[in-house]
Amino acid sequence: MGELVNDAQSFYNVRTVERPNIEHDLDAIIAKYRPIVSFRVKKSLGSYTPDWEDVVNEIMLNAIEKLESGKFRGESSVGTFIYTITSRRIIDHIRKKSKSLKYAPEPNPFPQPQEHVENKERAEMIARHLEKLKPKYKEILYLYYYKELSRDEVAKKLDISPRRVSERVNYAQKLLKKMMKK
Amino acid sequence: MTECKFEDLIDEYLLNTLSEEKRNQFEEHYFNCPACFQKMAERDDMITAIKWKGHEIFSDLMKEEQTRKVAVWDRLFGFMAPRQWALTAVSAALVLVVTFGVIPALKTQSPQFTLDDHQTRGQSITLISDSIPSRFEWQKMENAWEYKIEIDNHDPLWHKTTNNNFVILPDEIKHKMKTGVAYSWQVKAFSRQGILIAESSKIQFFIPEK
Ligand SMILES: [Zn+2]
């Protein structure tokens, strides 16, 4: 997997030296889309799929190769182009995996923050902040995200409009962001 | 900062309630809209923390809810003295009839009860269970990746996550259970992403006295 990244980078380095002003600055493309592709892959495969990072690397490499070889002619945005590659690769992966699903290891019981310690610490910190929110905000987060009631159900239960539910949730998120900055 | 019209889809996307068509549209959108992607990543962080640590974050709310539930239970069944409960639970067979027969009927008769905190989320799972209480079985769901079974009296007693559609209750838990006490079991199904997609109703059962 490290190899793939290196390949992609050396590939890119050579090209930018030759054409420093090409429209698709590959470095910027990698920096911009890698997190998005990662998010999409993790969401579809689950972050406890051990090889999700390999899948991301393959997608990025594939995208770069296509951009490089001129197969991408700008008939869509770069974003849509990479989105399409990502979706196809994910479908492939799931198809292959579901054949051997029987032997797959037991996944984690809950959407655990990914293995990495810093992600766990982050989730832990967010939780501590959320605990401190006013009951009004905690209640709505509890019903909407923890119990997964629909927006209309939450609205009914709290006797507010559905629009107000979204606003309150957004505000809770804003408060959280503020607390995280401190 | 101007709001993007796709922003409204962030929650539904993260909670997996969008139709396939809308989901695809939104996915293509966030590959093209850094503002939406940023907002979604922040929201996802928050939801992950809530899913993972919710029992701690909301422990006060959950306790409150439990108290309310007990009150409803008392209103419905308070007319029966504990001894009558014991009599009701003469044999496992009888218990099965009581729990699977009476409780659902009461639920439909009493809207307050159904409107209490246990509305079924997503599709409903059918509980099968052949004998109580060592083996608990339920109907498989196509899109479920794993199931979580929870057994509680008023407090959580035991839970297990499994890919199978049954569990065998470990002996040490069985030994903890008392005769004549009302227990309930419930199964939740989770998608590959760990999102809750279905939930069974809660079914009450008793350990018969020997
Ligand atoms: Zn947007």
Side-chain angles (χ1 to χ4, degrees):
Chain A
M1 143 187 127
E3 256 174 58
L4 285 176
V5 174
N6 287 342
D7 279 353
Q9 246 143 26
S10 54
F11 209 114
Y12 147 69
N13 283 336
V14 173
R15 301 303 289 175
T16 38
V17 171
E18 282 173 14
R19 295 187 297 169
N21 293 323
I22 52 165
E23 190 189 352
H24 307 120
D25 180 348
L26 296 180
D27 210 3
I29 286 175
I30 294 171
K32 183 176 173 191
Y33 289 102
R34 201 168 199 290
I36 302 177
V37 171
S38 298
F39 189 94
R40 172 79 175 82
V41 168
K42 274 190 280 183
K43 182 148 191 345
S44 298
L45 304 183
S47 54
Y48 38 72
T49 301
D51 47 357
W52 71 266
E53 259 180 313
D54 294 342
V55 177
V56 171
N57 287 332
E58 281 169 37
I59 291 167
M60 291 314 293
L61 187 65
N62 190 332
I64 287 157
E65 276 171 356
K66 283 194 170 144
L67 289 169
E68 271 297 314
S69 65
K71 273 186 193 148
F72 172 69
R73 296 171 194 284
E75 46 299 276
S76 68
S77 65
V78 176
T80 296
F81 173 70
I82 295 179
Y83 157 77
T84 309
I85 294 176
T86 305
S87 300
R88 273 193 209 134
R89 185 67 190 79
I90 286 171
I91 290 168
D92 266 13
H93 188 88
I94 290 174
R95 209 172 279 150
K96 262 188 236 155
K97 263 285 144 75
S98 54
K99 276 185 203 154
S100 56
L101 198 66
K102 262 195 222 157
Y103 311 102
E106 275 229 353
N108 287 326
F110 252 80
Q112 291 252 9
Q114 296 89 55
E115 327 66 56
H116 307 296
V117 180
E118 71 261 34
N119 286 336
K120 269 197 172 155
E121 277 171 0
R122 193 178 158 74
E124 191 79 57
M125 187 173 74
I126 292 173
R128 298 289 85 84
H129 286 312
L130 292 177
E131 265 170 25
K132 284 182 269 171
L133 285 177
K134 278 187 191 157
K136 175 172 145 182
Y137 298 112
K138 263 169 93 168
E139 188 174 27
I140 210 156
L141 297 178
Y142 175 60
L143 296 173
Y144 194 43
Y145 295 121
Y146 191 75
K147 298 195 82 176
E148 297 192 50
L149 297 187
S150 72
R151 202 168 71 133
D152 288 348
E153 286 168 327
V154 176
K156 218 179 197 177
K157 198 156 185 146
L158 300 180
D159 199 21
I160 55 180
S161 70
R163 186 75 231 161
R164 193 91 192 87
V165 171
S166 301
E167 284 166 9
R168 204 175 280 179
V169 166
N170 290 341
Y171 196 74
Q173 173 102 64
K174 232 181 234 170
L175 291 173
L176 173 68
K177 218 173 160 178
K178 237 191 213 166
M179 291 191 279
M180 302 275 288
K181 274 184 189 150
K182 268 181 202 161
Chain B
M1 208 163 51
T2 50
E3 236 184 63
C4 174
K5 69 172 174 147
F6 278 89
E7 240 175 60
D8 288 342
L9 298 181
I10 290 175
D11 277 326
E12 287 167 86
Y13 176 69
L14 292 175
L15 295 170
N16 287 342
T17 55
L18 287 179
S19 65
E20 196 183 338
E21 194 194 346
K22 272 202 166 170
R23 190 180 65 226
N24 291 338
Q25 275 174 14
F26 181 64
E27 278 171 345
E28 182 175 346
H29 176 74
Y30 74 66
F31 270 75
N32 288 289
C33 177
C36 277
F37 180 71
Q38 172 68 25
K39 282 208 168 134
M40 179 175 67
E42 281 168 13
R43 184 68 43 111
D44 186 59
D45 273 351
M46 184 169 84
I47 296 178
T48 303
I50 286 174
K51 294 276 181 210
W52 188 49
K53 289 277 163 187
H55 55 289
E56 291 172 15
I57 303 170
F58 307 118
S59 59
D60 46 347
L61 283 165
M62 289 162 109
K63 226 176 269 163
E64 233 172 75
E65 224 176 59
Q66 207 57 51
T67 327
R68 271 209 307 277
K69 230 178 275 171
V70 173
V72 173
W73 183 254
D74 284 349
R75 263 217 307 284
L76 283 168
F77 297 102
F79 60 89
M80 273 174 106
R83 275 178 78 211
Q84 279 175 287
W85 275 121
L87 281 176
T88 318
V90 213
S91 73
L94 188 55
V95 170
L96 271 172
V97 174
V98 168
T99 53
F100 290 93
V102 174
I103 307 293
L106 269 171
K107 273 191 149 187
T108 48
Q109 279 164 19
S110 168
Q112 274 130 323
F113 193 72
T114 33
L115 282 178
D116 190 51
D117 298 293
H118 254 92
Q119 286 154 316
T120 303
R121 305 294 324 138
Q123 302 163 62
S124 154
I125 300 174
T126 308
L127 302 174
I128 300 169
S129 187
D130 52 5
S131 69
I132 283 175
S134 59
R135 184 189 161 98
F136 295 86
E137 193 179 335
W138 54 92
Q139 217 157 66
K140 261 197 168 146
M141 281 186 69
E142 197 131 283
N143 52 343
W145 171 260
E146 58 186 355
Y147 302 93
K148 184 180 183 190
I149 171 169
E150 292 168 292
I151 296 184
D152 56 3
N153 43 357
H154 296 316
D155 299 313
L157 179 75
W158 182 70
H159 64 86
K160 184 182 163 69
T161 303
T162 173
N163 298 109
N164 297 322
N165 63 323
F166 66 89
V167 291
I168 308 288
L169 196 62
D171 279 340
E172 71 262 29
I173 304 299
K174 244 193 265 179
H175 291 147
K176 271 194 205 162
M177 298 170 90
K178 297 182 194 92
T179 55
V181 174
Y183 293 94
S184 67
W185 69 293
Q186 185 183 31
V187 178
K188 292 174 179 169
F190 293 88
S191 67
R192 217 174 264 271
Q193 294 91 307
I195 301 266
L196 181 71
I197 49 175
E199 190 178 57
S200 75
S201 56
K202 269 197 177 187
I203 294 291
Q204 222 81 23
F205 66 94
F206 301 84
I207 312 278
E209 275 170 323
K210 279 173 198 145

